[in-house]
Amino acid sequence: DQQVKQNSPSLSVQEGRISILNCDYTNSMFDYFLWYKKYPAEGPTFLISISSIKDKNEDGRFTVFLNKSAKHLSLHIVPSQPGDSAVYFCAASAGRSGNTGKLIFGQGTTLQVKP
Amino acid sequence: NAGVMQNPRHLVRRRGQEARLRCSPMKGHSHVYWYRQLPEEGLKFMVYLQKENIIDESGMPKERFSAEFPKEGPSILRIQQVVRGDSAAYFCASSPQSLGETQYFGPGTRLLVL
C-alpha cells in the first residue's frame, strides 16, 4: 500500500529553467510534508517542509505547494542549477496528529539539470 | 554543530553473521528513527526510539532485527543471522524533542551480505 507516490521516476530540465517535482498521497491523516534531496552514497538532506495548515512555503529557490483537496504537493525549483541534479524524495508524516512521526517516503524522482 | 553520525559507513557480513549498526543523533535531539532503503526503492520506516524506550517498531521485521537507544551512547540496530535480502542502506534520522518536527538524516550504513 503506497501511501506516498512520486509517479515520475525521472525529470530532465535545462539549467535556468523551472523544475517541478510532483507527489501524491492517500492518507488524509498526514499533516506534515517534507522534501529531501539525496546524492548517491549519502543520506537524504532536508530541503523544505510544509504543514497541512498552509498551502505554500518558500525558501530561496525552493517552493513547496500543497493542495489538500487533491492530496497533492509539488516542489518548484527556480532557477534550476546543475548542482540540483539528485534524487528527490517526498515524505509525509502524521506526527502532529498524535502518531509517532514516522516518515512515509515516495519512491523518488531523479532530477537531471543540463548545463 | 555535528550532524547525525552513523558507523560503520560500509559493512560486509557473510550469511549467518551478526550486523551492528550505530547511530549518534544530533546534539539536543532525543528522537531516533531507523529507515532502510533496498536497491531501487524509497526509504522504509523501521523503528522509532527515544532514550531507553522503543516507541514504534511497526516497520521492523518480526525476527532477527532489534534496536535500542540506551541512556548513554548511540542507538544500535542489530541484525542477527543476516541473509542476502538484508543487503541495503540503513539510515538513521534524529529530531528534536517534540513530535512532528523535521528529521535529519545521517550518511547511512551500507550493508552487504555475501
Side-chain angles (χ1 to χ4, degrees):
Chain A
D1 178 24
Q2 190 72 30
Q3 297 185 65
V4 178
K5 292 184 181 179
Q6 294 176 254
N7 292 316
S8 298
S10 62
L11 174 67
S12 181
V13 300
Q14 207 66 36
E15 180 179 6
R17 305 295 290 270
I18 185 171
S19 296
I20 300 176
L21 296 99
N22 294 303
C23 179
D24 297 296
Y25 63 95
T26 57
N27 189 341
S28 57
M29 295 298 291
F30 289 147
D31 53 16
Y32 192 53
F33 303 88
L34 310 93
W35 284 94
Y36 286 87
K37 173 182 178 181
K38 187 179 181 302
Y39 294 116
E42 294 185 12
T45 300
F46 170 71
L47 273 178
I48 193 168
S49 62
I50 188 167
S51 164
S52 59
I53 62 174
K54 296 186 175 181
D55 55 19
K56 177 182 175 181
N57 188 27
E58 192 172 353
D59 184 1
R61 296 186 298 115
F62 302 93
T63 303
V64 56
F65 295 92
L66 175 62
N67 182 335
K68 282 201 305 182
S69 60
K71 292 191 176 67
H72 177 83
L73 64 154
S74 60
L75 174 68
H76 292 208
I77 307 173
V78 56
S80 301
Q81 300 173 353
D84 296 329
S85 297
V87 179
Y88 288 77
F89 288 100
C90 166
S93 164
R96 295 180 182 180
S97 304
N99 291 323
T100 64
K102 65 186 180 188
L103 295 179
I104 309 299
F105 281 85
Q107 309 95 306
T109 297
T110 300
L111 173 65
Q112 182 184 26
V113 180
K114 297 179 179 178
Chain B
N1 205 10
V4 178
M5 299 177 68
Q6 290 187 250
N7 66 82
R9 294 291 305 274
H10 299 274
L11 183 60
V12 180
R13 285 288 178 265
R14 296 194 179 278
R15 281 179 296 169
Q17 291 184 320
E18 179 180 288
R20 283 193 180 223
L21 289 62
R22 287 175 289 278
C23 168
S24 296
M26 287 179 70
K27 187 176 180 180
H29 287 192
S30 59
H31 298 224
V32 167
Y33 299 79
W34 285 92
Y35 295 84
R36 176 167 68 173
Q37 185 181 24
L38 295 170
E40 309 301 325
E41 293 188 13
L43 284 75
K44 297 279 197 284
F45 168 77
M46 298 182 75
V47 62
Y48 162 44
L49 310 103
Q50 295 180 21
K51 285 284 187 181
E52 300 183 280
N53 283 302
I54 297 174
I55 308 301
D56 181 354
E57 55 183 348
S58 60
M60 286 279 267
K62 294 286 185 276
E63 298 177 345
R64 303 187 296 106
F65 284 72
S66 62
E68 63 177 4
F69 189 14
K71 187 176 180 181
E72 301 290 337
S75 175
I76 306 286
L77 180 67
R78 181 183 179 204
I79 311 172
Q80 295 178 286
Q81 299 175 310
V82 296
V83 301
R84 288 216 174 110
D86 297 333
S87 296
Y90 292 82
F91 294 99
C92 167
S94 72
S95 69
Q97 302 227 347
S98 54
L99 289 177
E101 296 293 336
T102 299
Q103 295 178 24
Y104 296 90
F105 283 80
T109 294
R110 277 137 192 93
L111 172 65
L112 176 62
V113 180
L114 301 176

